[in-house]
Structures are given as C-alpha cells and as structure tokens.
Amino acid sequence: MECRPGCAACCIAPSISSPIPGMPDGKPAGIPCVQLDDQFGCLLFGLPERPAVCGGFQPLPDVCGSHRDEALWLIGELERLTG
C-alpha cells in the first residue's frame, strides 16, 4: 500500500515522544505535526532530521483504512488502546 497524498493521518493522530524540529518535546496525539505543509506533506521527508519513528511508519490497510477520515479514526483508536 502507498501513502495517500494529502492524508497525513500518521502525522496527526498518534503521539510522538521523540523530538521533532519545532516540537522539541514531541507531539501529543491529535495535534498536527508542525512539519506538515499546507498540502499535508512532510517538510522533513527524506531528511536526516526526520524522526526515526516517522520513517518507520508504514502504510497498511489495517491502519490506514480506505480513506483519510478512517485512517485518522483507526490510528486514534490504536493510540487510545496503547496509550
């Protein structure tokens, strides 16, 4: 599965505990990463400053669902169940 352009659910729904440029304490669940551009693309994609946790996130049907709203819900549920 490929990432859907403009989705960014994995950059919004989960919490990220590692530092992100512009978010030195990480990111709370449900808050968009400051590194998202206006089209919901990652400004750090492919750069060494991108946190390892972000690079390790893989698009999967069970996590991403069939559309962006479903992905936000699924990832949010995973966050709630494991948080």
Side-chain angles (χ1 to χ4, degrees):
M1 178 174 188
E2 296 289 323
C3 286
R4 282 186 289 276
C7 177
C10 60
C11 304
I12 298 169
S15 62
I16 298 175
S17 59
S18 59
I20 301 166
M23 299 180 106
D25 297 323
K27 184 192 90 55
I31 302 296
C33 177
V34 299
Q35 295 300 329
L36 284 175
D37 64 20
D38 291 339
Q39 290 79 42
F40 293 109
C42 177
L43 296 170
L44 298 177
F45 192 83
L47 299 177
E49 296 86 1
R50 186 175 181 215
V53 67
C54 299
F57 202 93
Q58 298 297 310
L60 299 169
D62 291 347
V63 176
C64 301
S66 59
H67 52 81
R68 182 176 189 264
D69 288 339
E70 187 176 17
L72 285 164
W73 183 82
L74 287 167
I75 298 169
E77 279 299 297
L78 288 171
E79 178 71 28
R80 284 184 282 284
L81 292 171
T82 59

Coordinates of all heavy atoms in Angstrom, one line a residue:
M1 N 0.8 -1.2 0.0 CA 0.0 0.0 0.0 C 0.9 1.2 0.0 O 1.9 1.3 0.6 CB -0.9 0.0 1.2 CG -1.8 1.2 1.4 SD -2.9 1.0 2.8 CE -3.9 2.4 2.5
E2 N 0.5 2.2 -0.7 CA 1.2 3.5 -0.8 C 0.4 4.5 0.1 O -0.8 4.5 0.3 CB 1.2 4.0 -2.2 CG 2.0 3.1 -3.1 CD 3.5 3.2 -2.9 OE1 4.0 4.3 -2.5 OE2 4.2 2.1 -3.0
C3 N 1.1 5.5 0.6 CA 0.5 6.6 1.3 C -0.4 7.4 0.4 O -0.1 7.6 -0.8 CB 1.5 7.6 1.9 SG 2.4 7.0 3.3
R4 N -1.6 7.8 0.9 CA -2.5 8.6 0.1 C -2.0 10.1 0.2 O -1.8 10.6 1.3 CB -3.9 8.6 0.7 CG -4.6 7.3 0.3 CD -6.1 7.4 0.8 NE -6.2 7.3 2.3 CZ -6.2 6.2 2.9 NH1 -6.1 5.0 2.3 NH2 -6.3 6.2 4.2
P5 N -1.8 10.8 -0.9 CA -1.5 12.2 -0.9 C -2.5 13.0 -0.1 O -3.7 12.8 -0.3 CB -1.5 12.6 -2.4 CG -1.3 11.3 -3.1 CD -2.0 10.3 -2.3
G6 N -2.0 13.9 0.7 CA -2.9 14.7 1.5 C -3.5 14.1 2.7 O -4.4 14.7 3.3
C7 N -3.1 12.9 3.1 CA -3.7 12.2 4.2 C -3.2 12.7 5.5 O -3.9 13.4 6.3 CB -3.6 10.7 4.1 SG -4.2 9.8 5.5
A8 N -1.9 12.4 5.8 CA -1.2 12.9 7.0 C -1.8 12.4 8.3 O -1.5 12.9 9.3 CB -1.0 14.4 7.0
A9 N -2.6 11.4 8.2 CA -3.2 10.8 9.5 C -2.1 10.4 10.5 O -2.2 10.6 11.7 CB -4.2 9.7 9.2
C10 N -1.1 9.8 9.9 CA 0.0 9.4 10.8 C 0.9 10.5 11.4 O 1.7 10.3 12.3 CB 0.9 8.4 10.0 SG 1.7 9.1 8.6
C11 N 0.6 11.7 10.8 CA 1.3 12.9 11.3 C 0.4 13.8 12.3 O 0.8 14.8 12.7 CB 1.7 13.8 10.2 SG 2.8 13.0 9.0
I12 N -0.8 13.3 12.5 CA -1.8 14.0 13.3 C -2.3 13.1 14.4 O -2.2 13.5 15.6 CB -3.0 14.4 12.4 CG1 -2.5 15.4 11.3 CG2 -4.1 15.1 13.3 CD1 -3.6 15.7 10.3
A13 N -2.8 11.9 14.1 CA -3.4 11.1 15.2 C -2.5 10.6 16.3 O -2.9 10.7 17.5 CB -4.2 10.0 14.5
P14 N -1.4 10.0 16.0 CA -0.6 9.5 17.1 C 0.2 10.5 17.9 O 0.5 11.6 17.4 CB 0.4 8.5 16.4 CG 0.6 9.1 15.1 CD -0.7 9.8 14.7
S15 N 0.6 10.1 19.1 CA 1.5 10.9 19.8 C 2.9 10.5 19.4 O 3.1 9.3 19.0 CB 1.4 10.7 21.3 OG 1.6 9.3 21.7
I16 N 3.9 11.4 19.4 CA 5.3 11.1 19.1 C 6.1 11.6 20.3 O 6.1 12.8 20.6 CB 5.7 11.7 17.8 CG1 4.8 11.2 16.6 CG2 7.2 11.5 17.5 CD1 5.1 11.8 15.3
S17 N 6.8 10.7 20.9 CA 7.6 11.1 22.1 C 8.9 11.6 21.8 O 9.5 12.3 22.6 CB 7.6 9.9 23.1 OG 8.3 8.8 22.5
S18 N 9.5 11.3 20.6 CA 10.8 11.8 20.3 C 10.7 13.3 19.8 O 9.7 13.7 19.3 CB 11.4 10.9 19.2 OG 10.7 10.9 18.1
P19 N 11.8 14.0 19.9 CA 11.8 15.4 19.5 C 11.6 15.5 18.0 O 12.1 14.6 17.2 CB 13.2 15.9 19.9 CG 13.7 14.9 20.9 CD 13.1 13.6 20.6
I20 N 11.0 16.5 17.6 CA 10.8 16.8 16.1 C 11.2 18.3 16.0 O 10.9 19.1 16.9 CB 9.3 16.7 15.8 CG1 8.7 15.3 16.0 CG2 9.0 17.2 14.3 CD1 7.2 15.3 16.0
P21 N 11.9 18.6 14.9 CA 12.3 20.0 14.7 C 11.0 20.9 14.8 O 10.0 20.7 14.2 CB 12.9 20.1 13.3 CG 13.5 18.7 13.2 CD 12.5 17.8 13.8
G22 N 11.1 21.9 15.8 CA 9.9 22.7 16.0 C 9.0 22.2 17.1 O 8.1 22.9 17.6
M23 N 9.2 21.0 17.5 CA 8.5 20.4 18.6 C 9.4 19.5 19.5 O 9.5 18.3 19.4 CB 7.3 19.4 18.1 CG 6.3 20.2 17.2 SD 5.0 19.1 16.6 CE 3.7 19.6 17.7
P24 N 10.3 20.2 20.3 CA 11.3 19.5 21.0 C 10.9 18.5 22.0 O 11.6 17.6 22.4 CB 12.1 20.7 21.7 CG 11.1 21.8 21.7 CD 10.2 21.7 20.5
D25 N 9.6 18.6 22.5 CA 9.1 17.6 23.4 C 8.2 16.6 22.8 O 7.5 15.8 23.4 CB 8.3 18.4 24.5 CG 9.1 19.3 25.3 OD1 10.3 19.0 25.6 OD2 8.6 20.4 25.6
G26 N 8.3 16.5 21.4 CA 7.5 15.5 20.7 C 6.1 16.2 20.4 O 5.9 17.4 20.4
K27 N 5.1 15.3 20.1 CA 3.8 15.7 19.6 C 2.7 15.0 20.4 O 2.7 13.7 20.4 CB 3.8 15.5 18.1 CG 2.5 16.0 17.5 CD 2.4 15.5 16.1 CE 1.7 14.2 16.0 NZ 0.3 14.1 16.6
P28 N 1.8 15.7 20.9 CA 0.6 15.0 21.5 C -0.3 14.4 20.4 O -0.3 14.8 19.3 CB -0.1 16.1 22.3 CG 0.6 17.3 22.2 CD 1.7 17.1 21.1
A29 N -1.0 13.3 20.8 CA -2.0 12.7 19.9 C -3.1 13.7 19.5 O -3.5 14.6 20.3 CB -2.7 11.5 20.6
G30 N -3.4 13.7 18.2 CA -4.5 14.5 17.7 C -4.0 15.9 17.3 O -4.8 16.7 16.8
I31 N -2.8 16.3 17.5 CA -2.3 17.6 17.1 C -1.4 17.4 15.9 O -0.5 16.6 15.8 CB -1.4 18.1 18.3 CG1 -2.2 18.3 19.6 CG2 -0.7 19.5 17.9 CD1 -3.3 19.2 19.5
P32 N -1.6 18.2 14.8 CA -0.8 18.1 13.6 C 0.6 18.4 13.9 O 0.9 19.3 14.7 CB -1.4 19.1 12.7 CG -2.8 19.3 13.2 CD -2.7 19.2 14.7
C33 N 1.5 17.7 13.3 CA 3.0 18.0 13.4 C 3.2 19.4 12.7 O 2.6 19.7 11.7 CB 3.8 16.9 12.7 SG 5.5 17.2 12.6
V34 N 4.1 20.1 13.3 CA 4.5 21.4 12.8 C 5.2 21.3 11.4 O 5.3 22.3 10.7 CB 5.3 22.3 13.8 CG1 4.5 22.6 15.0 CG2 6.6 21.7 14.1
Q35 N 5.7 20.1 11.1 CA 6.4 19.9 9.9 C 5.5 19.6 8.7 O 6.0 19.3 7.6 CB 7.5 18.9 10.1 CG 8.6 19.3 11.0 CD 9.3 20.5 10.6 OE1 9.5 20.8 9.4 NE2 9.8 21.3 11.6
L36 N 4.2 19.7 8.9 CA 3.3 19.4 7.8 C 3.1 20.7 7.0 O 2.9 21.8 7.6 CB 1.9 19.0 8.3 CG 1.8 17.6 8.8 CD1 0.4 17.3 9.4 CD2 2.0 16.6 7.6
D37 N 3.1 20.6 5.7 CA 2.9 21.8 4.8 C 1.4 22.0 4.6 O 0.6 21.2 5.1 CB 3.7 21.8 3.5 CG 3.3 20.6 2.6 OD1 2.2 20.1 2.7 OD2 4.1 20.3 1.7
D38 N 1.0 22.9 3.8 CA -0.4 23.2 3.5 C -1.2 22.1 2.8 O -2.4 22.0 2.8 CB -0.6 24.5 2.7 CG -0.2 25.7 3.5 OD1 -0.2 25.7 4.8 OD2 0.1 26.8 2.9
Q39 N -0.4 21.2 2.1 CA -1.0 20.1 1.4 C -0.9 18.8 2.2 O -1.1 17.7 1.7 CB -0.3 19.9 0.0 CG -0.6 21.0 -1.0 CD 0.2 22.3 -0.7 OE1 1.4 22.2 -0.4 NE2 -0.4 23.4 -0.8
F40 N -0.6 18.9 3.5 CA -0.4 17.8 4.4 C 0.8 16.9 4.0 O 0.7 15.7 4.2 CB -1.7 17.0 4.6 CG -2.7 17.7 5.3 CD1 -3.9 18.2 4.6 CD2 -2.6 18.0 6.6 CE1 -4.8 18.9 5.3 CE2 -3.6 18.7 7.3 CZ -4.7 19.1 6.6
G41 N 1.8 17.5 3.4 CA 3.1 16.8 3.1 C 4.1 17.1 4.2 O 4.1 18.1 4.8
C42 N 5.0 16.1 4.4 CA 6.1 16.3 5.4 C 7.2 17.1 4.9 O 7.8 16.8 3.8 CB 6.6 14.9 5.8 SG 7.9 15.0 7.1
L43 N 7.5 18.2 5.6 CA 8.7 19.1 5.1 C 10.0 18.4 5.4 O 11.0 18.8 4.9 CB 8.6 20.4 5.9 CG 7.3 21.3 5.5 CD1 7.2 22.4 6.4 CD2 7.4 21.7 4.1
L44 N 10.0 17.4 6.3 CA 11.2 16.7 6.6 C 11.4 15.3 5.9 O 12.4 14.7 6.1 CB 11.3 16.4 8.1 CG 11.3 17.6 9.1 CD1 11.2 17.1 10.5 CD2 12.4 18.5 8.8
F45 N 10.5 15.0 5.0 CA 10.5 13.7 4.3 C 11.9 13.5 3.6 O 12.3 14.4 2.8 CB 9.4 13.5 3.3 CG 9.2 12.1 2.8 CD1 8.5 11.2 3.6 CD2 9.8 11.8 1.6 CE1 8.4 9.9 3.1 CE2 9.7 10.5 1.2 CZ 9.0 9.5 1.9
G46 N 12.6 12.4 3.9 CA 13.8 12.2 3.2 C 15.0 12.9 3.8 O 16.2 12.7 3.4
L47 N 14.8 13.7 4.9 CA 15.9 14.4 5.5 C 16.3 13.7 6.8 O 15.5 13.0 7.5 CB 15.5 15.8 5.9 CG 15.1 16.7 4.7 CD1 14.6 18.1 5.2 CD2 16.3 16.9 3.7
P48 N 17.6 13.8 7.2 CA 18.1 13.2 8.4 C 17.4 13.7 9.7 O 17.4 13.0 10.7 CB 19.6 13.4 8.4 CG 19.8 14.5 7.5 CD 18.7 14.5 6.5
E49 N 16.8 14.9 9.6 CA 16.2 15.5 10.8 C 14.8 14.8 11.1 O 14.3 15.0 12.2 CB 15.9 17.0 10.6 CG 17.2 17.8 10.5 CD 17.7 17.8 9.1 OE1 17.1 17.3 8.1 OE2 18.8 18.5 8.9
R50 N 14.3 14.1 10.2 CA 13.0 13.4 10.3 C 13.2 12.3 11.4 O 14.1 11.5 11.3 CB 12.6 12.8 9.0 CG 11.2 12.2 9.1 CD 10.8 11.7 7.7 NE 9.5 11.2 7.7 CZ 9.1 10.1 6.9 NH1 10.0 9.6 6.1 NH2 7.9 9.7 7.0
P51 N 12.3 12.3 12.4 CA 12.4 11.3 13.5 C 12.3 9.9 12.9 O 11.5 9.6 12.0 CB 11.2 11.6 14.4 CG 10.9 13.1 14.2 CD 11.2 13.3 12.7
A52 N 13.0 9.0 13.5 CA 13.0 7.6 13.1 C 11.6 7.0 13.2 O 11.3 6.2 12.3 CB 14.0 6.8 13.9
V53 N 10.9 7.4 14.2 CA 9.5 6.8 14.3 C 8.7 7.2 13.1 O 7.8 6.4 12.7 CB 8.9 7.3 15.7 CG1 8.6 8.8 15.7 CG2 7.6 6.5 15.9
C54 N 8.9 8.3 12.6 CA 8.1 8.7 11.4 C 8.5 7.9 10.2 O 7.7 7.5 9.4 CB 8.3 10.2 11.1 SG 7.8 11.3 12.5
G55 N 9.8 7.8 10.0 CA 10.3 7.0 8.9 C 9.9 5.5 9.0 O 9.8 4.8 8.0
G56 N 9.7 5.0 10.2 CA 9.3 3.6 10.4 C 7.8 3.3 10.2 O 7.4 2.2 10.1
F57 N 7.0 4.4 10.1 CA 5.6 4.2 10.0 C 5.3 3.7 8.6 O 5.6 4.4 7.6 CB 4.9 5.5 10.3 CG 3.4 5.3 10.7 CD1 3.1 5.2 12.0 CD2 2.4 5.3 9.7 CE1 1.7 5.1 12.3 CE2 1.1 5.1 10.0 CZ 0.8 5.0 11.4
Q58 N 4.6 2.6 8.4 CA 4.3 2.0 7.1 C 2.8 2.0 6.9 O 2.1 1.7 7.7 CB 4.8 0.6 7.1 CG 6.3 0.4 7.2 CD 7.1 1.1 6.1 OE1 6.8 0.9 5.0 NE2 8.1 2.0 6.5
P59 N 2.4 2.4 5.7 CA 1.0 2.4 5.3 C 0.5 1.0 5.2 O 1.1 0.2 4.4 CB 0.9 3.2 4.0 CG 2.3 3.0 3.4 CD 3.3 2.9 4.6
L60 N -0.5 0.6 6.0 CA -1.1 -0.7 5.9 C -2.6 -0.5 5.9 O -3.1 0.3 6.6 CB -0.7 -1.5 7.2 CG 0.8 -1.8 7.3 CD1 1.1 -2.4 8.7 CD2 1.3 -2.8 6.3
P61 N -3.3 -1.4 5.2 CA -4.8 -1.3 5.2 C -5.4 -1.3 6.6 O -6.4 -0.6 6.8 CB -5.2 -2.5 4.4 CG -4.1 -2.8 3.5 CD -2.9 -2.5 4.4
D62 N -4.9 -2.1 7.5 CA -5.5 -2.1 8.9 C -5.3 -0.8 9.6 O -6.0 -0.6 10.6 CB -4.9 -3.3 9.7 CG -5.3 -4.6 9.1 OD1 -6.2 -4.7 8.3 OD2 -4.7 -5.6 9.6
V63 N -4.3 0.0 9.2 CA -4.0 1.2 9.9 C -4.6 2.4 9.1 O -5.1 3.3 9.7 CB -2.5 1.4 10.1 CG1 -2.2 2.7 10.7 CG2 -2.0 0.2 11.0
C64 N -4.5 2.3 7.8 CA -4.9 3.5 7.0 C -6.3 3.4 6.5 O -6.8 4.4 6.0 CB -3.9 3.6 5.8 SG -2.2 3.8 6.3
G65 N -6.9 2.3 6.5 CA -8.3 2.1 6.1 C -8.4 2.5 4.6 O -7.5 2.4 3.8
S66 N -9.6 2.9 4.2 CA -9.9 3.2 2.8 C -9.9 4.7 2.5 O -10.0 5.0 1.3 CB -11.2 2.5 2.4 OG -12.3 3.0 3.1
H67 N -9.8 5.5 3.5 CA -9.8 7.0 3.2 C -9.3 7.7 4.5 O -9.1 7.1 5.5 CB -11.2 7.5 2.9 CG -12.3 7.1 3.8 ND1 -12.5 7.8 5.0 CD2 -13.2 6.1 3.8 CE1 -13.5 7.2 5.7 NE2 -13.9 6.2 4.9
R68 N -9.0 9.0 4.3 CA -8.3 9.8 5.4 C -9.0 9.8 6.7 O -8.4 9.6 7.7 CB -8.1 11.2 4.9 CG -7.4 12.1 5.9 CD -7.1 13.5 5.3 NE -6.2 14.2 6.2 CZ -6.7 15.1 7.1 NH1 -7.9 15.3 7.3 NH2 -5.8 15.7 7.8
D69 N -10.4 10.0 6.7 CA -11.1 10.0 7.9 C -11.0 8.7 8.7 O -10.9 8.6 9.9 CB -12.6 10.4 7.7 CG -12.7 11.9 7.3 OD1 -11.8 12.7 7.6 OD2 -13.8 12.2 6.7
E70 N -11.1 7.6 7.9 CA -10.9 6.3 8.5 C -9.5 6.1 9.1 O -9.4 5.5 10.2 CB -11.3 5.2 7.5 CG -11.3 3.8 8.2 CD -11.7 2.7 7.2 OE1 -11.6 2.9 6.0 OE2 -12.0 1.6 7.7
A71 N -8.5 6.6 8.4 CA -7.2 6.5 8.9 C -7.0 7.3 10.2 O -6.4 6.8 11.2 CB -6.2 7.0 7.9
L72 N -7.6 8.5 10.3 CA -7.5 9.3 11.5 C -8.2 8.5 12.6 O -7.7 8.5 13.8 CB -8.1 10.6 11.3 CG -7.3 11.6 10.5 CD1 -8.2 12.8 10.0 CD2 -6.1 12.1 11.3
W73 N -9.3 7.9 12.4 CA -10.0 7.2 13.4 C -9.3 5.9 13.9 O -9.1 5.7 15.1 CB -11.4 6.8 12.9 CG -12.2 6.1 14.0 CD1 -12.9 6.7 15.0 CD2 -12.3 4.7 14.2 NE1 -13.4 5.7 15.8 CE2 -13.1 4.5 15.4 CE3 -11.8 3.6 13.5 CZ2 -13.4 3.2 15.9 CZ3 -12.1 2.3 14.0 CH2 -12.9 2.1 15.2
L74 N -8.8 5.1 12.9 CA -8.0 3.9 13.2 C -6.8 4.2 14.0 O -6.5 3.5 15.0 CB -7.7 3.1 11.9 CG -8.8 2.4 11.2 CD1 -8.4 2.0 9.8 CD2 -9.3 1.2 12.0
I75 N -6.0 5.1 13.6 CA -4.8 5.5 14.3 C -5.1 6.1 15.6 O -4.4 5.8 16.6 CB -3.9 6.4 13.4 CG1 -3.4 5.7 12.1 CG2 -2.6 6.8 14.2 CD1 -2.8 6.6 11.1
G76 N -6.1 6.9 15.7 CA -6.6 7.4 17.0 C -7.0 6.3 18.0 O -6.7 6.4 19.2
E77 N -7.7 5.3 17.5 CA -8.1 4.2 18.3 C -6.9 3.4 18.8 O -6.8 3.0 19.9 CB -9.0 3.2 17.5 CG -10.4 3.7 17.5 CD -11.1 3.8 18.9 OE1 -11.2 2.7 19.6 OE2 -11.4 4.9 19.3
L78 N -5.9 3.2 17.9 CA -4.7 2.5 18.3 C -4.0 3.3 19.4 O -3.4 2.7 20.4 CB -3.7 2.3 17.1 CG -4.2 1.2 16.1 CD1 -3.3 1.3 14.9 CD2 -4.1 -0.2 16.7
E79 N -3.9 4.6 19.2 CA -3.3 5.4 20.2 C -4.0 5.3 21.6 O -3.4 5.2 22.6 CB -3.4 6.9 19.8 CG -2.8 7.9 20.7 CD -1.3 7.9 20.9 OE1 -0.6 7.5 19.9 OE2 -0.8 8.3 21.9
R80 N -5.4 5.3 21.6 CA -6.1 5.2 22.8 C -5.9 3.9 23.5 O -5.9 3.8 24.7 CB -7.6 5.5 22.5 CG -7.9 7.0 22.4 CD -9.4 7.3 22.2 NE -9.9 7.0 20.9 CZ -9.7 7.7 19.8 NH1 -9.0 8.8 19.9 NH2 -10.2 7.4 18.6
L81 N -5.9 2.8 22.7 CA -5.7 1.5 23.2 C -4.3 1.2 23.8 O -4.2 0.4 24.7 CB -6.1 0.4 22.1 CG -7.6 0.4 21.7 CD1 -7.7 -0.5 20.5 CD2 -8.4 -0.1 22.8
T82 N -3.3 1.8 23.2 CA -2.0 1.6 23.6 C -1.4 2.7 24.5 O -0.3 2.6 25.0 CB -1.1 1.4 22.4 OG1 -1.1 2.5 21.6 CG2 -1.5 0.2 21.6
G83 N -2.1 3.8 24.6 CA -1.6 5.0 25.3 C -1.7 5.0 26.8 O -1.8 4.2 27.6

